[in-house]
Amino acid sequence: MPHSSDTHTQTARDAWNLLARKRLGQADTDTIGLVVQGGGMRGVYSMAALAALEEMGFGQCFDHVAGSSAGALNSAYFITGQASYGVETYIHHLTQRRFVNPFRLKKMVDIDYLVDHIGKKARPLDLDALLAARTMLHISLTDISEGHTRYVTNRMPDIDLWEAFRASAAMPILYNKSVKVGDGLYVDGSLRARVPIRRVLEYGCRFVVVILTMPHSHRIVSKNAWIQSLSWPATRHYSGPLRQALFGEDVDYNTLKSDLSDESPRIAGCANRVVVITPQRRPERFSTITTDPRQLMQCALEAREDTWKAFGQSPPPVVNPFAMTA
């Protein structure tokens, strides 16, 4: 029986070869999925990991991409070939007080500014390219009444994708607004689907790349009564299921993180073909509202290195790996 590290090395090699064949347009029976975790400003890590995949030439190689919260918008920039552009956006535009302001209690993180100013105007996402892409994007949303996850995609003509991005990133307490998408009201897509890997498995993906913004050791445990009481003024109007999603233990997430942290990740239905990209170096120094450009750049550089290494490769030396003029 092969050692687990040998299996991991073989999986990384297989993933690299499969993506390389996809890049060359060679037919392959394996459907490839990509899953991107959210995390507010920690999203700079996933955006830089996506930029590394773009750098490798794998930008058009995934059949399905599922993202929650910041991971959803990051995934959209990746699908449109704008991931490097997105890294620069984090470092030079989202570090402004207009976006994150911990003293602006009613809207510490201004998701409206992110969508309406950054996404549509200052650093525009190519929405036409997203709608026309061969890759299907799955955006997770959390229903405010039942706390259930709903997914919308770039294949749904009756859905306003801008509102879907706004809803998926609508963090309770920090943004504290629900968003109407279609006929429903939704908030942060990562409350129930923090790592939406099940979604791509449902679509037949037998090979999956997972980008995490938190280390393998991270778990979601129940918040104590003191924290809940401090949050009561901002969350008193939440439904019971939504409060449970916000403050309770997430058993499914914790189990998945344990599965993904193995030397050879094993996910039911995925035939043991999973490549995981996750922070390796003191990720606790980055928070949901970190706005120090130097810290964010360091995080991005580490994500690039982690991504290349996840495929058993060494990143090529470049002066500015995230330079882009899109």
Side-chain angles (χ1 to χ4, degrees):
M1 179 178 295
H3 189 274
S4 59
S5 61
D6 295 334
T7 304
H8 173 77
T9 301
Q10 184 60 49
T11 300
R13 186 181 301 116
D14 289 346
W16 178 271
N17 292 336
L18 177 58
L19 288 166
R21 291 197 300 272
K22 285 273 190 176
R23 182 182 60 203
L24 295 173
Q26 297 175 358
D28 204 297
T29 57
D30 278 311
T31 302
I32 310 177
L34 174 64
V35 178
V36 186
Q37 186 178 18
M41 291 300 286
R42 285 193 185 96
V44 72
Y45 182 92
S46 62
M47 185 65 92
L50 292 168
L53 292 175
E54 198 172 76
E55 181 183 14
M56 296 170 187
F58 298 153
Q60 305 300 315
C61 297
F62 294 92
D63 300 287
H64 296 274
V65 179
S68 59
S69 194
L73 191 54
N74 288 1
S75 296
Y77 276 91
F78 172 69
I79 291 171
T80 59
Q82 297 175 282
S84 292
Y85 179 67
V87 175
E88 289 191 326
T89 300
Y90 269 92
I91 295 169
H92 300 300
H93 296 265
L94 298 186
T95 51
Q96 304 301 312
R97 187 60 64 90
R98 182 67 181 83
F99 179 52
V100 177
N101 184 348
F103 300 104
R104 189 177 54 215
L105 298 182
K106 291 186 177 180
K107 194 189 287 187
M108 284 184 275
V109 179
D110 192 344
I111 302 302
D112 299 323
Y113 175 79
L114 171 66
V115 172
D116 298 325
H117 178 71
I118 298 295
K120 294 181 181 180
K121 299 175 183 178
R123 305 287 286 178
L125 169 70
D126 189 343
L127 193 64
D128 289 339
L130 179 62
L131 294 171
R134 63 167 294 275
T135 301
M136 183 180 288
L137 172 64
H138 305 260
I139 304 168
S140 68
L141 313 174
T142 304
D143 175 83
I144 65 167
S145 58
E146 300 298 328
H148 295 157
T149 297
R150 178 193 175 189
Y151 289 95
V152 299
T153 78
N154 56 339
R155 299 286 188 270
M156 297 178 174
D158 57 335
I159 293 296
D160 185 336
L161 288 181
W162 289 118
E163 295 311 298
F165 292 132
R166 194 190 313 271
S168 191
M171 295 179 285
I173 303 175
L174 296 181
Y175 175 67
N176 216 33
K177 288 170 59 178
S178 59
V179 179
K180 185 175 182 180
V181 179
D183 296 328
L185 292 173
Y186 302 93
V187 292
D188 191 347
S190 66
L191 286 181
R192 287 295 189 192
R194 289 179 168 88
V195 184
I197 192 169
R198 297 297 173 188
R199 178 66 172 184
V200 300
L201 296 183
E202 289 171 4
Y203 276 75
C205 293
R206 301 282 292 170
F207 222 124
V208 181
V209 175
V210 180
I211 301 175
L212 303 175
T213 56
M214 294 295 288
H216 281 314
S217 60
H218 181 249
R219 300 291 185 271
I220 301 293
V221 299
S222 297
K223 307 298 188 296
N224 61 41
W226 182 74
I227 292 177
Q228 293 191 47
S229 64
L230 285 178
S231 305
W232 176 252
T235 63
R236 62 185 184 276
H237 59 290
Y238 287 7
S239 67
L242 195 60
R243 288 181 58 82
Q244 175 61 29
L246 181 60
F247 295 119
E249 180 183 7
D250 193 330
V251 176
D252 291 340
Y253 172 79
N254 293 344
T255 300
L256 177 62
K257 287 300 293 292
S258 295
D259 292 340
L260 294 178
S261 65
D262 290 342
E263 278 285 336
S264 180
R266 297 179 180 275
I267 306 299
C270 201
N272 197 34
R273 293 156 66 115
V274 182
V275 172
V276 182
I277 301 162
T278 189
Q280 302 294 322
R281 300 182 182 85
R282 296 193 299 134
E284 66 275 8
R285 70 178 184 268
F286 306 111
S287 78
T288 303
I289 57 174
T290 295
T291 55
D292 185 330
R294 293 170 299 179
Q295 285 185 308
L296 295 176
M297 176 58 84
Q298 184 60 37
C299 181
L301 292 172
E302 291 171 4
R304 176 177 180 261
E305 183 175 352
D306 292 341
T307 303
W308 280 89
K309 287 184 175 179
F311 289 93
Q313 308 291 321
S314 297
V318 292
V319 175
N320 183 2
F322 308 117
M324 186 174 176
T325 58

